[in-house]
Amino acid sequence: WLAFYLARVVTLLFGVLLVLGVYALVRQIWPQPREVALGAAFLVALTPQVLFIGSMVSNDVPAAALSTLALWLFARELQHGSNRSAWWGTAVGLILGLAGLTKVNAFTLILPLGLGLMWLWLSGRRSFGQVILFGLAFSAGLSLSAGWWLGRSWWLYGSPVGLDPHDQTPWAISAGAKLDPFLLRWKDVWRSYWLSLGWGTIRLGPWPGGWPYTVLF
């Protein structure tokens, strides 16, 4: 039980980091007025699902916190690049690697980060060499924090991110026929704002135990 309670404290601390990270990210993108960043931080802090997941043992909030921190560092580089871009690139890679180790879908942030680097080059804000240097530093940081684990998973399970073994679990949705049409799936996104365990696969029961969840949503 002590380990369980300590794990909940760790998740709670990551929840605090998530709120602070959202504030820093929005303040970096939209410095004035300050109330915009405060509003974004309060919105995240008071989101029912964040409060729920942030008070239990979960990898969702740590992954969100680390991803937000990586985005803040990258946004800073986009706006205020310096001769220390290689160090910032390494830091972004390290943190995003930790986020990916926490929850593998954090690695999808590599795509928008890559598009951001391309924009820096095409807009003339950075030279091609500077963009390549940042990209190499980012790759080095990512490999340092997550590469060893991806290699280990590939060696042991034949899947670097573990999706193939995950698809063999009873609760996995691996076949497209099991998924609702895209527009209907957004109903689960709405539900998840209030309370949804997983991607809408586990829901509260009927009234009265599940009220008002099943009545309103």
Side-chain angles (χ1 to χ4, degrees), residues 70-85:
L71 287 174
W72 168 60
L73 292 176
F74 187 69
R76 185 190 181 284
E77 172 62 22
L78 288 179
Q79 295 185 351
H80 309 292
S82 65
N83 55 0
R84 296 185 178 181
S85 293

Side-chain angles (χ1 to χ4, degrees), residues 91-105:
V92 173
L94 283 170
I95 295 173
L96 186 59
L98 293 176
L101 290 179
T102 307
K103 196 173 181 69
V104 70
N105 57 11

Side-chain angles (χ1 to χ4, degrees), residues 127-140:
S127 67
F128 181 74
Q130 290 174 318
V131 169
I132 291 298
L133 179 62
F134 186 93
L136 290 175
F138 169 80
S139 300

Side-chain angles (χ1 to χ4, degrees), residues 24-128:
L25 175 60
V26 177
R27 192 73 190 276
Q28 188 70 52
I29 298 172
W30 199 331
Q32 297 296 334
R34 181 167 172 259
E35 287 73 17
V36 174
L38 285 173
F42 272 106
L43 176 63
V44 172
L46 299 179
T47 295
Q49 183 76 337
V50 173
L51 291 171
F52 170 66
I53 297 295
S55 63
M56 58 188 294
V57 180
S58 171
N59 63 340
D60 291 296
V61 169
L66 292 170
S67 298
T68 303
L69 185 58
L71 287 174
W72 168 60
L73 292 176
F74 187 69
R76 185 190 181 284
E77 172 62 22
L78 288 179
Q79 295 185 351
H80 309 292
S82 65
N83 55 0
R84 296 185 178 181
S85 293
W87 291 105
W88 283 105
T90 304
V92 173
L94 283 170
I95 295 173
L96 186 59
L98 293 176
L101 290 179
T102 307
K103 196 173 181 69
V104 70
N105 57 11
F107 286 130
T108 58
L109 287 178
I110 293 176
L111 178 59
L113 294 183
L115 293 175
L117 287 177
M118 186 177 296
W119 173 79
L120 282 178
W121 173 48
L122 294 177
S123 64
R125 294 172 179 263
R126 304 284 191 283
S127 67
F128 181 74

